[in-house]
Amino acid sequence: MAASRTIRSSSPPNRRSEPPQSSLDLSVTRLPGIGDDSRKLLERLEIRSVGDLLWHLPRTYLDYSTFTPIRSVRAEHDQTVEAILGHIGQRRTARGQLMTEVELLDPADSTATSVRATWFGRQFIKERYPEGQLVRLSGKVKWFGRTLQFANPKIESASAEAVHTGRIVPVYALTDGLKEGHLRRWLHTAVFGGAKRTAVVREVPEPLPDEIRERRGLLPIQDALREVHFPSTWPDLFAARRRLAFDELLVLQLALGQRRERWRRDAKALPLRADDATAERWVATLPFALTGAQRRAFSEIRADLAQRVPMSRLLEGDVGSGKTVVAALAARIAVASGAQAALMAPTELLAEQHHRSLTELFESRGGSSGAGAAAREATRDATAPRTALLTSSVTGTARRAIIDALASGELEVIVGTHALVEEAVTFKRLGLAIVDEQHRFGVRQRATFREKGLDPHLLLTTATPIPQTLSQTVYRDLDISVLDEMPSGRQSIRTEVRPHDALPKVWPWVRQRVALGEQAFVVTPRIEEDPEDDVPSAEATFRDLAAKDLAGLRLALLHGRMPARERDEVMRRFADREIDVIVATTVVEVGIDIPNATVMVVLGAERFGLAQLHQLRGRVGRRGQRAYCVLVSEKAEESERLAAMTERKPGTDDPLDGFDLAKRDLEIRGAGEFLGERQSGAPELRIVDLADVDPALIDDTAAEADQLLATDPQLERPEHGSLAEAVAALWRRYALA
Ligand code: ADP
Ligand code: MG
């Protein structure tokens, strides 16, 4: 590796003795060139100490490492030249800006040249670089009339150390007022020591035991930091990034491994069991036959529930794959074992729907149609769990009664929103908590229940699958059941992306669908209009459609600020086909099940995540009938992202599923949100992009973390001190513990 080669230029001839405190902890103002104003600017980037500065890693790099002879300079490329400065002129442009213009002479042949360099507003150029000086220039070249020009290139004296030109140049995240050249210079000083040759990077302690470093072929930490800021070559940069990524993943694996061990040690869940005959009877009385995937998931869950170690299982299945019934069966096991179950939904509307579905599933006598409510009541299964709904619209004595019945154990299954069930309720014997459509899987729920002294089995459901790289790191302690099979008869929903101008054609078409007896959703990003912008709002859209384009149809408005009772009423009427078109916000996003709805029009579609759009689309065609989704977007430049909604899987006719779309979203938004509640201002992982990290690195770090924790579970040994500190810092960064 190039390690020794890079240390060369930074090794001070005779190092002074170490100060008692590490320079890394000192204020950045200890570095030459950083005064009080710069300190304030850096503070905005959360950089306070010299160590913080050293860990401000480049955002990207410019390859200025190859020199081009002046006569070979071409337009539209980043290039680096060595040149003698010819005549230097300065003038004001028509707009009053100072322009400095320099003729560049070829050092090999100082007569011929047709290349110039120009700068705008940089007085210092003329002051610092006199005519006749040999310099290095790096930057983009453009045609200007008949001459080639470097436009605002970076410049250094040819005899100076290469910092900004003639090398692979780091590019850093900046803040208003902070000059990129200054920041790069300070980092160069931190890494190579500058004039005083006191490189603070030499004080960074090596956190990895040598054994691991050698086994995995990793650069020493100081070399890695040097190379990541000022790479000698591209391979050196990759080696440096690999080393830093390794550390970051190892710390993550250690933190998660310790948490996993803590959970396992303190585990005290109730073992929940149902015998085969009983379980079979439940399945047989459902209104439909389970898919193979549902059966598989159910038996995996049954096996987990029987254990004393609390289950942490994720039930992953695309929209419409039938997660609710699996959850309902799990709840029955809890109840059959004398425990309680809680089903938590992301919205009240959805909680209401789940309550309806669960009640129906529990009381089903088999066969999908026929039995009306009265008949069902007459043949009510005596073992059907006693189930109640708790939303914010359940108030007064009804609410009191539910809360009391949960505390006494008389109520066996409670359905509500996350917040209500987690925070507002005491249970007699909570055995199973089911969290529907949750994206930060389980971490918060475990913690909340723990605080109440409970340790229920946890079943999490999601239509947004976890990329493998996350399931092998952040969610290594989650077991996963996948519903990879749709109930029969589902067909894909025809999806189109349309510009705003197409709406005059969309609405008459919606009218036609309604005339055929179908129903439609129109979804907007906002509830109310804002005069400041033209983001579509539910209220304005509803008003306009009722007055014009869809006049005469039965329209209704639905959004989260309406009282829950009104919303419920609208949904009931929609389900009973008393309403043709619902104009709504994303309150209809997750799980809502209206059998006869076939049209989903999303306005301002660019404002939604892909997984969210996929969820919205999943609201229509629920019974396998032909269904449509029209994504209307005002933003042409966004349409590439939206186009993913209409893409096919390579080599097939299948549309991208929730998994593919979630992965696209993850690539766009980053993985930070999967890690849990981030403390405000805390940085994301610095190096690792969990959306596409090398899987081999994940395996390596997982293996090393397991081995480290096996010999030193608390990381108490002195040689693990830095790692222990890094783990503690990670816990502080994400309120995870
Ligand atoms: P999701 O996985 O999106 O939560 P749901 O649980 O809401 O899906 O199920 C979607 C619809 O499919 C519901 O109407 C449900 O009754 C129905 N369903 C679930 N499983 C089956 C099955 N095995 N056969 C037929 N219909 C099913
Ligand atoms: Mg669902």
Side-chain angles (χ1 to χ4, degrees):
M1 213 54 6
S4 54
R5 179 151 50 85
T6 49
I7 293 172
R8 170 208 54 184
S9 58
S10 70
S11 304
N14 45 9
R15 219 176 143 198
R16 281 177 300 164
S17 61
E18 289 281 327
Q21 190 192 15
S22 159
S23 314
L24 299 171
D25 298 326
L26 300 177
S27 162
V28 282
T29 51
R30 288 305 182 88
L31 284 179
I34 305 188
D36 217 41
D37 290 344
S38 304
R39 179 184 61 78
K40 285 187 192 128
L41 289 172
L42 288 171
E43 215 170 86
R44 282 201 233 141
L45 294 168
E46 307 280 325
I47 299 171
R48 293 185 179 80
S49 67
V50 171
D52 294 339
L53 181 69
L54 212 43
W55 282 101
H56 187 62
L57 304 181
R59 186 166 58 76
T60 180
Y61 302 83
L62 295 167
D63 191 352
Y64 290 159
S65 60
T66 314
F67 285 80
T68 307
I70 290 216
R71 62 184 171 285
S72 311
V73 162
R74 284 182 300 138
E76 301 308 330
H77 286 273
D78 279 338
Q79 277 150 105
T80 298
V81 296
E82 226 174 42
I84 295 167
L85 295 179
H87 176 72
I88 305 184
Q90 273 190 334
R91 59 189 169 88
R92 296 261 159 208
T93 63
R95 290 223 201 102
Q97 219 183 358
L98 177 76
M99 189 178 98
T100 307
E101 198 171 17
V102 184
E103 223 179 339
L104 301 180
L105 308 179
D106 194 329
D109 171 13
S110 57
T111 52
T113 177
S114 55
V115 183
R116 292 162 179 272
T118 53
W119 290 269
F120 288 97
R122 312 240 175 116
Q123 178 58 37
F124 75 92
I125 299 283
K126 181 155 180 177
E127 291 162 3
R128 200 177 304 162
Y129 299 99
E131 205 171 313
Q133 183 166 4
L134 183 64
V135 298
R136 264 190 318 269
L137 289 159
S138 290
K140 184 154 263 154
V141 178
K142 292 182 174 151
W143 279 111
F144 189 80
R146 298 175 65 189
T147 45
L148 282 164
Q149 269 190 5
F150 277 91
N152 278 320
K154 302 188 170 71
I155 178 169
E156 281 170 313
S157 161
S159 57
E161 203 168 358
V163 179
H164 312 284
T165 66
R167 60 168 308 125
I168 299 171
V169 172
V171 178
Y172 296 97
L174 296 172
T175 182
D176 254 2
L178 184 60
K179 294 212 171 62
E180 113 174 298
H182 289 171
L183 183 54
R184 191 181 297 122
R185 168 63 65 190
W186 300 332
L187 273 155
H188 194 268
T189 305
V191 168
F192 293 110
K196 293 213 181 107
R197 293 284 153 201
T198 47
V200 290
V201 76
R202 301 176 87 255
E203 295 178 37
V204 174
E206 174 59 63
L208 276 191
D210 289 346
E211 189 193 330
I212 296 181
R213 211 170 49 67
E214 278 154 26
R215 181 161 51 227
R216 303 294 175 183
L218 297 164
L219 286 182
I221 189 67
Q222 297 182 3
D223 295 351
L225 276 170
R226 238 176 244 126
E227 288 294 335
V228 84
H229 283 293
F230 291 94
S232 312
T233 65
W234 290 105
D236 290 326
L237 172 61
F238 297 144
R241 288 186 60 88
R242 180 162 169 273
R243 161 64 211 253
L244 298 179
F246 187 95
D247 285 23
E248 203 163 71
L249 283 173
L250 180 68
V251 167
L252 186 62
Q253 300 281 20
L254 287 169
L256 297 166
Q258 283 186 327
R259 185 180 67 185
R260 199 157 50 236
E261 203 35 54
R262 206 160 51 238
W263 284 1
R264 207 171 291 158
R265 202 179 48 228
D266 307 347
K268 47 180 189 308
L270 304 166
L272 306 173
R273 297 193 181 96
D275 60 65
D276 289 348
T278 310
E280 273 313 313
R281 186 168 53 81
W282 295 335
V283 171
T285 53
L286 291 171
F288 40 72
L290 290 184
T291 63
Q294 284 170 322
R295 283 188 162 275
R296 225 166 21 247
F298 180 43
S299 68
E300 285 163 358
I301 291 166
R302 264 183 80 193
D304 282 4
L305 289 177
Q307 310 300 317
R308 194 159 271 290
V309 179
M311 168 172 82
S312 290
R313 187 168 282 277
L314 183 68
L315 179 59
E316 196 178 281
D318 207 353
V319 178
S321 58
K323 297 182 285 288
T324 316
V325 64
V326 178
L329 289 168
R332 287 205 87 153
I333 296 186
V335 173
S337 308
Q340 292 166 301
L343 172 58
M344 294 169 266
T347 64
E348 302 223 325
L349 212 56
L350 204 57
E352 289 155 16
Q353 182 186 292
H354 279 326
H355 177 247
R356 267 195 305 276
S357 318
L358 251 53
T359 314
E360 272 168 34
L361 289 168
F362 290 156
E363 297 182 356
S364 168
R365 313 292 298 157
S368 55
S369 53
R376 269 208 308 272
E377 194 49 44
T379 61
R380 190 182 183 282
D381 181 347
T383 69
R386 288 186 295 269
T387 304
L389 172 69
L390 185 66
T391 60
S392 58
S393 52
V394 179
T395 54
T397 48
R399 185 182 191 79
R400 200 62 254 161
I402 289 177
I403 289 178
D404 289 347
L406 276 171
S408 72
E410 190 190 323
L411 255 180
E412 293 161 322
V413 176
I414 186 75
V415 183
T417 57
H418 297 156
L420 269 176
V421 176
E422 283 168 13
E423 282 141 37
V425 168
T426 8
F427 294 90
K428 171 92 183 306
R429 244 167 99 77
L430 182 66
L432 170 65
I434 302 161
V435 187
D436 191 42
E437 299 295 352
Q438 183 67 358
H439 301 283
R440 279 179 198 151
F441 306 104
V443 172
R444 190 167 61 88
Q445 281 75 20
R446 267 269 176 260
T448 329
F449 286 123
R450 275 285 166 89
E451 276 162 24
K452 296 171 129 196
L454 296 165
D455 213 347
H457 295 280
L458 210 49
L459 178 64
L460 312 153
T461 80
T462 182
T464 312
I466 306 183
Q468 203 190 356
T469 51
L470 289 184
S471 64
Q472 288 170 347
T473 52
V474 189
Y475 299 122
R476 235 179 117 199
D477 47 346
L478 275 188
D479 297 304
I480 300 183
S481 296
V482 182
L483 297 185
D484 51 4
E485 188 181 345
M486 285 301 211
S488 57
R490 289 286 151 77
Q491 60 177 9
S492 64
I493 294 150
R494 186 162 164 183
T495 305
E496 296 187 357
V497 181
R498 288 277 173 264
H500 204 253
D501 321 345
L503 281 177
K505 287 202 191 122
V506 170
W507 301 129
W509 168 79
V510 170
R511 220 177 242 290
Q512 282 171 25
R513 302 311 309 180
V514 170
L516 292 169
E518 300 171 11
Q519 292 168 289
F521 289 99
V522 177
V523 172
T524 65
R526 285 260 179 85
I527 298 177
E528 279 172 24
E529 62 219 289
D530 180 343
E532 304 281 294
D533 60 36
D534 42 45
V535 177
S537 73
E539 287 182 348
T541 306
F542 174 73
R543 216 174 39 233
D544 294 351
L545 289 177
K548 289 196 305 248
D549 298 287
L550 299 181
L553 300 191
R554 297 170 301 175
L555 302 188
L557 181 64
L558 184 73
H559 59 67
R561 229 180 283 151
M562 290 163 50
R565 201 167 316 120
E566 259 177 59
R567 284 198 319 244
D568 193 28
E569 179 62 13
V570 169
M571 284 314 290
R572 191 195 54 70
R573 285 171 51 219
F574 196 46
D576 290 346
R577 304 172 68 161
E578 290 168 21
I579 292 169
D580 302 313
V581 180
I582 279 195
V583 182
T585 55
T586 48
V587 289
V588 299
E589 174 187 344
V590 186
I592 294 290
D593 195 19
I594 300 291
N596 193 50
T598 58
V599 174
M600 169 63 63
V601 180
V602 182
L603 303 180
E606 74 281 353
R607 295 181 165 263
F608 298 98
L610 293 178
Q612 203 177 12
L613 289 172
H614 185 64
Q615 279 282 355
L616 284 170
R617 174 166 67 182
R619 298 309 106 221
V620 296
R622 303 283 291 180
R623 293 301 175 274
Q625 69 274 52
R626 191 140 186 56
Y628 309 85
C629 174
V630 185
L631 304 174
V632 182
S633 170
E634 285 122 290
K635 293 235 173 76
E637 72 269 25
E638 277 279 309
S639 64
E640 195 182 330
R641 191 171 69 90
L642 291 179
M645 297 293 296
T646 62
E647 242 174 72
R648 308 270 140 191
K649 282 183 191 258
T652 74
D653 235 13
D654 302 332
L656 299 185
D657 58 23
F659 186 95
D660 306 320
L661 293 170
K663 184 146 194 299
R664 292 280 177 94
D665 262 352
L666 182 65
E667 283 160 10
I668 295 163
R669 286 193 321 234
E673 71 170 47
F674 282 94
L675 276 172
E677 301 288 349
R678 189 150 64 96
Q679 304 292 22
S680 69
E684 301 270 345
L685 296 179
R686 293 169 209 272
I687 285 280
V688 174
D689 176 359
L690 282 176
D692 70 346
V693 60
D694 177 5
L697 209 54
I698 288 184
D699 287 347
D700 291 355
T701 50
E704 294 293 352
D706 290 350
Q707 205 171 323
L708 273 168
L709 292 177
T711 56
D712 184 13
Q714 300 307 318
L715 300 176
E716 286 159 333
R717 294 193 190 158
E719 68 267 31
H720 299 152
S722 300
L723 286 175
E725 225 170 83
V727 168
L730 188 74
W731 286 136
R732 281 197 300 277
R733 195 134 48 97
Y734 299 94
L736 273 184

